C-alpha cells in the first residue's frame, strides 16, 4: 500500500512538471549499498530541468524516497535524458544521466558507497 502511494505521489508530481504532449513511460530502479542491501533514509531526485529534447513547464526537481526494500518508480516521463541522483546520509551521492524512450520502461540501479 505504501509503495503504491509513493508511486502515485511521484506520478502526480511529474505530471505537474511535464507537458502532456507525446507518449510517456516509467522509470524504475533500486538504491542499495555495496552489499546490495536497501539503505534507510535514501532519496532519489529526477531533475526535469536537465531533460534534453522535451520542453517542460515548469522545470524543476522531483524528489522522493524509495520503499524499505530500496525500490522506486516514477511515471509519466516523456522522451528525454534525465539527470537522476540517489543519495543517503553517510553515503556518497551518485548521479546518472538516464535516457528515457517511451513506451519502453527504463530501469536504473544505484549502488551507494559509504563516505
Amino acid at each position: 500500500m505504501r509503495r503504491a502511494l509513493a508511486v502515485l505521489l511521484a506520478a502526480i508530481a511529474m505530471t505537474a512538471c511535464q507537458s502532456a504532449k507525446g507518449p510517456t513511460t516509467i522509470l524504475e530502479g533500486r538504491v542499495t549499498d555495496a552489499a546490495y542491501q536497501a539503505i534507510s533514509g535514501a532519496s532519489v531526485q529526477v531533475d526535469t530541468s536537465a531533460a534534453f529534447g522535451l520542453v517542460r513547464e515548469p522545470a524543476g526537481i522531483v524528489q522522493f524516497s524509495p520503499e524499505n526494500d530500496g525500490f522506486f518508480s516514477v511515471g509519466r516521463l516523456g522522451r528525454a535524458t534525465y539527470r537522476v541522483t540517489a543519495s543517503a546520509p553517510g553515503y556518497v551521492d551518485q548521479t546518472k544521466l538516464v535516457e528515457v524512450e517511451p513506451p519502453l520502461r527504463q530501469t536504473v540501479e544505484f549502488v551507494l558507497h559509504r563516505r
Side-chain angles (χ1 to χ4, degrees), residues 28-103:
E28 60 188 7
R30 189 166 187 226
V31 179
T32 64
D33 62 14
Y36 299 102
Q37 300 298 311
I39 301 172
S40 177
S43 67
V44 176
Q45 293 181 350
V46 179
D47 186 349
T48 61
S49 65
F52 305 102
L54 184 66
V55 176
R56 299 186 171 283
E57 296 178 19
I61 294 176
V62 176
Q63 182 170 335
F64 52 96
S65 297
E67 291 296 310
N68 292 334
D69 57 7
F71 286 98
F72 66 89
S73 178
V74 61
R76 298 197 45 106
L77 293 175
R79 174 182 299 168
T81 301
Y82 297 88
R83 181 174 289 117
V84 183
T85 302
S87 60
Y91 291 83
V92 177
D93 294 356
Q94 187 177 40
T95 299
K96 295 183 178 185
L97 291 178
V98 180
E99 186 174 341
V100 173
E101 185 72 36

